[in-house]
Amino acid sequence: MGFFEKLKQGLTKTKNSVFGQVHNLFKNMRRVDEDLLEELEELLIMADCGYTSTEIIIDRLRDTLKERKIQGGEEALEVLKEILCEMVGEDTPLKLETTPSVILVIGVNGVGKTTSIAKIAAQLKKDGKKVVLAAADTFRAGAIDQLKIWADRVGVDIIAQQEGSDPAAVVFDAANAAKKRGADVLIVDTAGRLHNKKNLMDELAKINRVLSRELPDASRENLLVVDATTGQNAVIQAKEFKNAADITGLVMTKLDGTAKGGILFSIKEELDIPVKFIGVGEKVDDLQPFSARDFVDALFEKSEKVGIE
């Protein structure tokens, strides 16, 4: 099964609960009017698109339909899909221009951070890159062992110390190991929670200082992992981390577990951070680089086959 098929399957809950209704709303309307736009607004808010994003979508849709003199529902639906793609923005691949390059992975506990690291590492290895993992989440019980298991399963090197050790020291060792071993990419796991938020942000700052000192010219990606099932809490988390770190991209996990996949549009609109990966399952290849067109098409593709006609 190709990833587009997995994506369609993974978005079934969102499609069945909301976007299938959007599809049928347009399909069954002979004429697009304000009543339809009001109903669409309610559906988008139900999908966790957020009030700000929803207002932007509705306003742009209204203006475009008027400008192009579109009245039919099918044509209007295509315009809506165009707007949703544009809102998410152009696809943005990882920037890995140096040897080694660094990917710092951030996110609260429970969002799927460690498994996302393993899945990204597996893809990079498949692309012929040598990867080293740094187990710098030294505070969560079992985090180091979990990453070691994934490293062994994927077949990449890992640098780790004992639980409770200094995360910055782990990163120092990993940065030097990456240089000595000729690694293409160093992926750093970080703590998702410490005693308080200030401690967590201070720890991230220490790690960043070590990376800047040991690998000053390395390409950097700071990826924030967010759990789609947490809805608007994901937006709040993203805002907090953005204030503390230079987030370059989002990894959206567990889209298969939510009926409110519109959260992706909300986060992108409110934070203007590109979505770089999306996850729709537990398998290694169920996390893939994000494609706006594929995502939007999957939300509407062949809706009648999933029982919403």
Side-chain angles (χ1 to χ4, degrees):
M1 183 188 296
F3 188 68
F4 183 67
E5 293 300 319
K6 289 184 179 182
L7 185 58
K8 285 196 296 182
Q9 191 177 75
L11 293 175
T12 296
K13 288 184 180 180
T14 293
K15 189 158 42 176
N16 283 355
S17 65
V18 179
F19 283 92
Q21 293 182 57
V22 173
H23 178 276
N24 289 336
L25 176 65
F26 281 91
K27 184 176 180 180
N28 296 328
M29 287 294 294
R30 293 184 178 179
R31 183 173 181 274
V32 178
D33 55 20
E34 285 299 316
D35 288 340
L36 179 140
L37 294 177
E38 285 184 16
E39 194 169 344
L40 173 63
E41 183 176 20
E42 291 179 9
L43 289 171
L44 292 176
I45 290 172
M46 281 174 53
D48 246 344
C49 285
Y51 288 99
T52 301
S53 298
T54 297
E55 287 180 4
I56 291 170
I57 293 168
I58 296 297
D59 289 344
R60 288 186 61 186
L61 180 61
R62 182 187 290 110
D63 292 345
T64 304
L65 296 180
K66 184 177 180 181
E67 180 184 326
R68 299 184 189 176
K69 298 180 181 179
I70 292 173
Q71 293 292 334
E74 292 287 350
E75 288 180 278
L77 179 60
E78 290 305 311
V79 173
L80 173 62
K81 290 166 69 174
E82 287 177 22
I83 291 169
L84 293 176
C85 284
E86 289 168 5
M87 282 192 71
V88 178
E90 295 182 4
D91 302 342
T92 310
L94 292 176
K95 184 179 178 182
L96 305 174
E97 299 174 347
T98 62
T99 303
S101 295
V102 178
I103 302 174
L104 185 72
V105 185
I106 302 167
V108 300
N109 292 343
V111 297
K113 180 166 54 72
T114 305
T115 52
S116 293
I117 288 170
K119 292 172 183 179
I120 293 170
Q123 287 188 31
L124 292 172
K125 184 184 177 186
K126 186 177 179 181
D127 292 339
K129 296 185 181 296
K130 185 173 183 178
V131 180
V132 172
L133 305 184
D137 183 358
T138 61
F139 296 94
R140 180 170 65 88
I144 297 171
D145 289 340
Q146 183 185 9
L147 194 63
K148 284 181 177 179
I149 291 169
W150 272 110
D152 183 60
R153 187 179 303 172
V154 173
V156 297
D157 292 344
I158 182 169
I159 304 300
Q161 295 182 12
Q162 293 182 341
E163 186 177 314
S165 57
D166 181 4
V170 176
V171 173
F172 175 85
D173 288 349
N176 283 284
K179 288 186 285 188
K180 290 177 182 177
R181 300 178 190 184
D184 297 296
V185 184
L186 170 63
I187 305 180
V188 181
D189 189 12
T190 64
R193 180 173 59 203
L194 292 179
H195 303 300
N196 58 52
K197 189 164 60 178
K198 183 179 184 302
N199 281 1
L200 175 59
M201 300 313 172
D202 287 348
E203 204 59 64
L204 287 176
K206 282 175 61 180
I207 289 171
N208 274 311
R209 286 196 296 271
V210 170
L211 289 170
S212 296
R213 185 178 68 242
E214 299 304 317
L215 298 169
D217 300 319
S219 294
R220 285 285 302 272
E221 287 278 4
N222 296 328
L223 301 183
L224 175 64
V225 183
V226 290
D227 179 347
T229 65
T230 62
Q232 290 299 314
N233 281 337
V235 179
I236 296 169
Q237 289 172 16
K239 285 180 178 178
E240 289 182 352
F241 277 106
K242 187 181 180 184
N243 290 333
D246 179 22
I247 306 298
T248 61
L250 297 173
V251 179
M252 181 78 70
T253 64
K254 307 181 187 180
L255 275 163
D256 56 316
T258 180
K260 297 187 175 184
I263 188 63
L264 188 146
F265 301 106
S266 181
I267 287 182
K268 179 63 174 65
E269 180 60 35
E270 294 201 34
L271 282 85
D272 194 28
I273 300 172
V275 180
K276 299 213 171 184
F277 290 91
I278 55 172
V280 290
E282 298 297 323
K283 296 179 181 178
V284 169
D285 59 352
D286 287 340
L287 183 82
Q288 291 285 333
F290 178 71
S291 164
R293 171 54 62 182
D294 284 353
F295 180 76
V296 172
D297 283 348
L299 286 173
F300 294 98
E301 178 86 1
K302 301 186 186 303
S303 299
E304 67 276 4
K305 288 194 175 181
V306 291
I308 55 178
E309 269 290 291

